[in-house]
Amino acid sequence: MHLTHQRGPLHDLPDSPEAYDAVLADVVEQALRRITPEGNLEHPDCVDDIGDTSLGITSLLAFAWQRGKDPRLPEAVRRSLAFHLRERVYIEDNPGYPNLRARNTGLPYARYVLEAGAHPIGDWPSTVWALLQAVNVLDSAEGLVDDEQRSQLLELAQGYWRWLTEATFFNPQEAGNQAIGCVVGGLMLARHLPDAEGEPVRARALELYTGEIRAHRVRDRGALLPPEHGGAYDNNYGPISLSFLAQAHRVSGEAMFAEDGDALARYLDARLTGGGFDNGGPRYSEQHSAFESVLGLRYFSARIGSDLGRYRGDSRWARYACKPDGGVDGHFAWMLVWQIQDTTRWHREPSPAPARHQLRAGTVSVAFDDRMTPAVVEAAGTYYLAAAVGRQHGFGPVTDGFLMCRPMGEVRVRDLRADGLTAKLVTKPVVGRDHVLRHVRSLYVTDGETLWTTVAVERLGGTPYLLAGLPYAEDDGDRVRRTAAGTVASAGTLRLTHPRATGAEHFDARAELLQEQAAFALAADPRGYGNPDEGWRHLVSSTALEAGPVPGTPDDLHVFAVRYGSEAPLTVSVERNDGQLTLTTRQFTAVIGPDDDQGEPRLALRAVSR
C-alpha cells in the first residue's frame, strides 16, 4: 500500500525551456481538441473548483502564443475568453454565501460550483483564482486580443478585486495561501492600470498583507508563519503559500515578501525529512501539492541555500492540474506560467548550517516539533512518527504509563559536528506524575547512514522503557509505501507492540490505513473541513517501538539506547565521573559535560578508531 500523494522529489522534474515548451505544446493540443463551439475549455468531468478553469487554460494558450506564435491560438484565445466573459461571470449574490459584507453590489465573482447555492463557501478562493487567471491573460494580451476584449477583461479583473476586498470579508477561510494569492492578484492588476488607478490598488494589496496576513502570523518551531486554515503550517498548502510569496516578491520587489518567504522556507527545510517526506497540517495531513509548489520551493531554495526541491510532490499534478484521466484542468494554471517565467534554478545541496529543529546528514534526518521532541525520524529509507501511549504522543521515557517528553521549563540544544559525525543534544526539565523534576538528556548522533539515540534520565520507578517511535512508511523507488516495521536495534530489550484495543483511537500500523485517514476519522468536523492534526491528538495508542534500559548503568540513572537503520547488535557503556556522563559505542564516544555558566549543555564527540 503506497501513500497516495507523496511521490517523487519536485526538483527531479526537468525545468529547461525545452521541457516547458513541450508541456505547453501538450496543453495546446489538448485544448484545441477540447474547445467547444461556444469556446468552453473546461474539462468535461469538472464540477467543483470550476469557475476559473476555462480562463486558466485560456491563459496558458495566450502564454504559449507569446512564446511560439502558433497561428492556431489567437482564434482559440479570443473565443475562449469570450466564453468566460459571457458565461462564467456572476454578479448576482450566490444564495447562501455567508461572507458578504455588502449585498447586491453587482460586483463580479467566480463560483466554486456553477449551480446557484451549491457549496458557495468556495467562491472566495475561486474568485482569487479567477483574478489571477485574468491578470495572466492581460500579461499576454498584447497583439493577441482586440482592445474591446482587453478592456472587458481589465474591467472584470477590477471587479473581482473589489468583490474580494470590499463586498466580502477578507480571507474568510483563514487560509494563508488564498490570502497571499489575493494580494498577488492586486499587485499584478495594479501594473495594468493607469498610475492614478493602479497605485491605490497596489497600496491596498500591501496594506492587506501587512495588516491581515503578516500581523496574524502564527509561531511554530521558532518561526512566524502565515496561518493556514487556522494552523501555522499545512504540508499541502504551506509550500503553495511559498509560491505566492515568491511571486509577490517578483512582481513588487517588496523586501517583506522575501523575508517572510525566507522564514517559511527555513521552517519547511527543518521539518522536511531528507527523503522529502512530510505530514501534518490543519487541513490535509498527507496530501501534497506538486506544480503549485515548484515556484516557491525553487525560488527560496536558491535564497536560503538548501535543497527544498527534495519535497515529494504528487507527480500526477507534476506540470498542471489534471483529472483522473490525465486531462488538463485549468485550476491553478498561473503557477505553471509563473514557474516558466522565473529563471531561478534549483539549489540541490543541503544547507551546511545547523538548524535547531532539525538533525540531518546523508540519508538520516530528524525533524523536531516545537517541544524539541522528534516528529519524524528517517533512517535507512524508513520514516518513524511519534508513537502514542495513554493519549500521550512523542518519543521519550515512559514509566507507569507516563511519557516524559513535555518540557516544564527551557529546552536547551547543542549541535556538534566531529570526525564525520553529526550530533544534537537536547536537554529538557520534565515533571512526572510524582511531581519530581527530572532532566531528560537526549543525544542524537548520525554518521549519515544510521542514527543513534541515547536518552538519560534520573532513576525512574516501575519498569520504564523508551517510546521509540511508530514505524510508518518507507521509500519504494519514487513512491512511499506504508510499513509496520523498521530496521532498529536496542542496547536493552526491544519490542514492537500493537494496540490491543480497536477503534479509531487506536492506530495499528499493520492495518491498511493512512495516518491522514485515521486523523480525519478523529477530527471534530467533516473531512476536508476538520483539522486532522487536532483529530490525531485524540489518538489513545498506536503501534510502537519500546526499548528497555541499557544494563550496567549508574544506579541513579536510567539510560536507553536505540539505533535506527541497522539491526546489528548495539552495545553502549555508560560512565559518570566529575559531573560528566560518558557514552561509548563501537562507533563513537560522547561526553555530556556539566552545564556551562549560562546553563547550556556541554557536548564532546569523537569517533572510535578501528
Side-chain angles (χ1 to χ4, degrees):
M1 179 183 181
H2 288 100
L3 303 192
T4 309
H5 302 278
Q6 301 206 32
R7 299 178 184 231
L10 290 179
H11 62 201
D12 286 352
L13 293 170
D15 62 349
S16 65
E18 294 76 17
Y20 281 132
D21 282 338
V23 172
L24 286 174
D26 170 49
V27 171
V28 166
E29 296 307 319
Q30 287 193 54
L32 293 179
R33 289 195 301 268
R34 176 187 301 170
I35 192 168
T36 67
E38 298 77 22
N40 188 353
L41 287 169
E42 292 159 2
H43 191 285
D45 295 338
C46 193
V47 175
D48 54 18
D49 262 327
I50 190 174
D52 67 298
T53 60
S54 182
L55 187 60
I57 296 183
T58 302
S59 76
L60 292 173
L61 298 183
F63 183 64
W65 183 81
Q66 290 293 353
R67 286 171 67 87
K69 297 299 188 289
D70 184 330
R72 300 173 298 170
L73 294 182
E75 192 272 337
V77 168
R78 295 166 193 152
R79 186 149 51 101
S80 61
L81 180 55
F83 168 79
H84 182 83
L85 293 169
R86 184 181 66 250
E87 302 289 344
R88 293 296 179 260
V89 177
Y90 297 86
I91 58 174
E92 295 181 356
D93 295 350
N94 200 351
Y97 185 70
N99 299 315
L100 290 176
R101 299 176 61 193
R103 296 195 176 277
N104 303 314
T105 61
L107 292 171
Y109 64 94
R111 286 187 177 173
Y112 179 78
V113 176
L114 299 182
E115 181 185 351
H119 203 87
I121 196 71
D123 289 355
W124 200 87
S126 289
T127 304
V128 174
W129 311 154
L131 170 62
L132 292 169
Q133 313 287 22
V135 292
N136 267 359
V137 175
L138 289 169
D139 282 352
S140 299
E142 184 67 33
L144 185 58
V145 302
D146 59 34
D147 290 344
E148 181 180 358
Q149 266 199 328
R150 184 188 181 282
S151 177
Q152 289 177 327
L153 183 60
L154 182 58
E155 182 180 355
L156 175 63
Q158 289 177 279
Y160 283 153
W161 173 252
R162 290 189 59 200
W163 188 85
L164 290 163
T165 59
E166 298 175 20
T168 71
F169 289 95
F170 182 78
N171 190 22
Q173 294 184 22
E174 297 182 0
N177 75 98
Q178 299 172 9
I180 305 171
C182 182
V183 168
V184 170
L187 294 172
M188 295 182 70
L189 171 63
R191 301 188 304 178
H192 290 282
L193 298 171
D195 289 346
E197 298 177 41
E199 187 50 41
V201 172
R202 174 186 166 90
R204 177 62 173 147
L206 296 176
E207 177 187 29
L208 286 168
Y209 183 75
T210 56
E212 299 294 336
I213 302 171
R214 204 177 202 215
H216 296 281
R217 287 176 296 172
V218 179
R219 185 176 296 279
D220 185 45
R221 307 187 196 191
L224 285 172
L225 308 170
E228 188 55 64
H229 287 285
Y233 172 85
D234 186 281
N235 70 332
N236 180 26
Y237 294 124
I240 298 175
S241 285
L242 197 63
S243 287
F244 282 130
L245 287 169
Q247 182 68 1
H249 186 239
R250 290 181 67 238
V251 301
S252 74
E254 292 288 337
M256 63 180 174
F257 296 119
E259 293 165 0
D260 293 355
D262 288 349
L264 176 55
R266 290 192 179 96
Y267 169 90
L268 192 155
D269 187 35
R271 70 172 288 144
L272 193 63
T273 62
F277 171 82
D278 185 23
N279 75 304
R283 184 57 80 90
Y284 295 115
S285 283
E286 288 181 329
Q287 290 195 32
H288 270 46
S289 49
F291 81 99
E292 317 100 292
S293 303
V294 167
L295 173 65
L297 293 169
R298 192 174 64 194
Y299 192 82
F300 286 101
S301 75
R303 284 188 56 89
I304 71 169
S306 194
D307 56 338
L308 296 179
R310 67 187 189 275
Y311 179 95
R312 287 183 180 269
D314 191 332
S315 56
R316 296 167 301 176
W317 280 38
R319 299 300 194 179
Y320 45 69
C322 62
K323 293 301 181 186
D325 66 358
V328 63
D329 181 351
H331 189 49
F332 268 53
W334 64 85
M335 285 294 191
L336 176 58
V337 174
W338 298 344
Q339 64 171 275
I340 297 174
Q341 291 173 334
D342 180 51
T343 58
T344 306
R345 299 277 63 85
W346 288 109
H347 183 98
R348 296 181 178 274
E349 299 298 322
S351 171
R356 178 178 173 89
H357 293 89
Q358 177 195 60
L359 174 71
R360 184 182 174 203
T363 58
V364 170
S365 65
V366 184
F368 295 87
D369 65 17
D370 219 22
R371 304 176 304 188
M372 287 306 299
T373 297
V376 185
V377 169
E378 171 195 20
T382 299
Y383 303 99
Y384 304 84
L385 304 181
V389 57
R391 299 186 185 274
Q392 305 159 95
H393 299 194
F395 290 71
V398 177
T399 179
D400 271 343
F402 185 84
L403 172 60
M404 306 187 77
C405 71
R406 294 172 298 283
M408 182 63 71
E410 192 65 27
V411 179
R412 312 290 184 122
V413 177
R414 175 75 73 182
D415 286 283
L416 184 64
R417 287 192 174 101
D419 293 349
L421 301 170
T422 303
K424 186 184 292 285
L425 174 64
V426 178
T427 64
K428 295 181 185 181
V430 176
V431 175
R433 284 208 172 102
D434 56 7
H435 289 204
V436 173
L437 180 70
R438 292 177 174 85
H439 292 82
V440 178
R441 290 171 287 181
S442 303
L443 176 64
Y444 306 88
V445 180
T446 180
D447 59 1
E449 296 180 357
T450 55
L451 172 71
W452 292 266
T453 299
T454 307
V455 179
V457 63
E458 289 88 349
R459 198 76 179 178
L460 300 166
T463 308
Y465 64 89
L466 181 73
L467 192 67
L470 156 64
Y472 177 69
E474 60 187 3
D475 291 337
D476 182 21
D478 62 355
R479 297 291 303 274
V480 179
R481 181 175 57 197
R482 281 280 287 104
T483 188
T487 307
V488 184
S490 170
T493 59
L494 181 66
R495 56 188 179 269
L496 179 64
T497 65
H498 304 285
R500 295 179 180 178
T502 59
E505 297 86 359
H506 307 279
F507 186 83
D508 190 328
R510 297 170 298 181
E512 290 198 356
L513 183 68
L514 299 179
Q515 187 267 354
E516 173 190 340
Q517 295 168 327
F520 268 118
L522 294 169
D525 295 305
R527 182 179 179 86
Y529 303 94
N531 182 337
D533 277 4
E534 191 176 85
W536 187 252
R537 285 193 284 271
H538 294 298
L539 196 69
V540 175
S541 65
S542 74
T543 292
L545 287 161
E546 300 177 357
V550 176
T553 60
D555 290 342
D556 57 348
L557 282 180
H558 267 124
V559 179
F560 308 88
V562 172
R563 185 184 58 226
Y564 302 87
S566 170
E567 292 179 329
L570 172 63
T571 58
V572 177
S573 66
V574 182
E575 298 179 5
R576 188 166 66 180
N577 53 66
D578 297 329
Q580 294 184 339
L581 187 65
T582 302
L583 308 170
T584 303
T585 73
R586 293 176 182 172
Q587 290 77 22
F588 64 87
T589 295
V591 180
I592 302 173
D595 295 345
D596 65 18
D597 292 341
Q598 286 75 48
E600 298 296 332
R602 300 177 193 266
L603 177 64
L605 182 68
R606 63 177 175 83
V608 173
S609 300
R610 296 186 182 180

